[in-house]
Amino acid sequence: MVGLCFLSVFIFNLPVIFKSYDLSNSSSIGDSIGGITAPVIGIISSILLYLALTKQTESNIDQKLKNESDLILSLFNQLDLELNSLYFKFKNNSVDVKFNGLEALDEFAKRFGIAWNMDHFKEKFSSFKAFYPSGQIIYLIDTINLIDERISSSTLSPEMKNLFKQKLISFYDSKLRDSFDKINNRICANQFLEDDWASKIKVVVAKY
């Protein structure tokens, strides 16, 4: 562009055949150069602006996708934290026994689903909600549903959505399926346990 300006000055100062076209001593030489270079400058500026906006748009899209992925991963971390925070305690021969995390879920599921006599609990508890660990279990299910919904509503590519879905299924299969199946089977076999929390367990077991 600078070269074009210098070239214009050189051309306008060359000798001409007709004096009417002599711009070497005319005050309009600046206007002439401006008239020639302005459209070129305008076109180049427009191109540069378009390229800048395109790059900015691409950067915004990439950042949005990264934010979506980070949010979903943070929800997975939250799910892990909630599972690790779960606890189950009871008395065994007058001795307090406490389990934490995945062991707590497994132990509760084993006792609730197999070992305990539900006829005994039927006299004391009106529904599944009456069992203390049930609230912690529903907390896990709510987070699972939140992750699933967040994956589905995200702007991620179908491939990325599928990967996150598979991660959620793998988490459920490896850590929750066996315990949830035991709990669900016992609920289905004892009508007095039915409530809205029990329904949530049935839904998640049927889905996964």
Side-chain angles (χ1 to χ4, degrees):
M1 181 56 63
V2 175
L4 179 61
C5 292
F6 281 113
L7 181 61
S8 300
V9 173
F10 174 74
I11 292 173
F12 289 142
N13 281 280
L14 289 175
V16 295
I17 299 175
F18 301 103
K19 285 190 175 183
S20 58
Y21 294 105
D22 185 7
L23 299 176
S24 59
N25 296 316
S26 173
S27 61
S28 62
I29 187 171
D31 294 336
S32 300
I33 295 174
I36 294 173
T37 58
V40 178
I41 294 174
I43 292 172
I44 294 176
S45 298
S46 298
I47 293 173
L48 293 176
L49 178 60
Y50 171 77
L51 293 175
L53 291 176
T54 300
K55 288 294 183 181
Q56 182 64 43
T57 301
E58 292 174 355
S59 176
N60 290 342
I61 292 173
D62 291 342
Q63 185 61 44
K64 184 177 181 180
L65 294 177
K66 182 180 182 301
N67 291 342
E68 291 272 13
S69 298
D70 289 346
L71 177 57
I72 294 171
L73 289 174
S74 70
L75 289 174
F76 273 108
N77 291 335
Q78 179 65 26
L79 182 60
D80 250 331
L81 179 62
E82 290 168 6
L83 178 58
N84 293 333
S85 300
L86 189 148
Y87 69 91
F88 173 50
K89 60 182 180 180
F90 57 92
K91 285 188 178 294
N92 185 19
N93 296 326
S94 300
V95 177
D96 288 332
V97 180
K98 183 178 181 181
F99 292 90
N100 295 288
L102 187 57
E103 286 187 347
L105 178 61
D106 290 342
E107 187 65 24
F108 172 73
K110 182 174 67 176
R111 291 175 177 273
F112 178 87
I114 300 173
W116 287 342
N117 184 343
M118 285 295 115
D119 290 335
H120 171 71
F121 287 100
K122 189 175 182 179
E123 300 174 359
K124 298 181 179 181
F125 299 110
S126 58
S127 68
F128 178 64
K129 283 183 179 180
F131 294 85
Y132 176 74
S134 63
Q136 301 174 77
I137 292 170
I138 296 304
Y139 205 53
L140 290 174
I141 291 175
D142 287 343
T143 303
I144 290 172
N145 292 334
L146 178 60
I147 294 173
D148 184 65
E149 176 60 30
R150 190 62 204 175
I151 294 171
S152 298
S153 63
S154 71
T155 56
L156 297 172
S157 66
E159 292 78 11
M160 285 299 298
K161 286 184 178 182
N162 184 60
L163 288 174
F164 278 124
K165 291 273 189 179
Q166 289 301 317
K167 180 178 175 65
L168 184 59
I169 292 172
S170 296
F171 182 94
Y172 183 87
D173 285 343
S174 62
K175 298 185 178 183
L176 305 177
R177 179 179 297 282
D178 185 61
S179 296
F180 279 20
D181 283 347
K182 288 186 177 73
I183 295 170
N184 183 60
N185 290 338
R186 181 51 68 97
I187 290 173
C188 292
N190 294 270
Q191 190 174 1
F192 81 94
L193 294 171
E194 296 282 354
D195 57 25
D196 56 325
W197 284 6
S199 297
K200 284 189 174 184
I201 290 181
K202 288 183 176 182
V203 170
V204 77
V205 168
K207 183 173 183 178
Y208 293 98

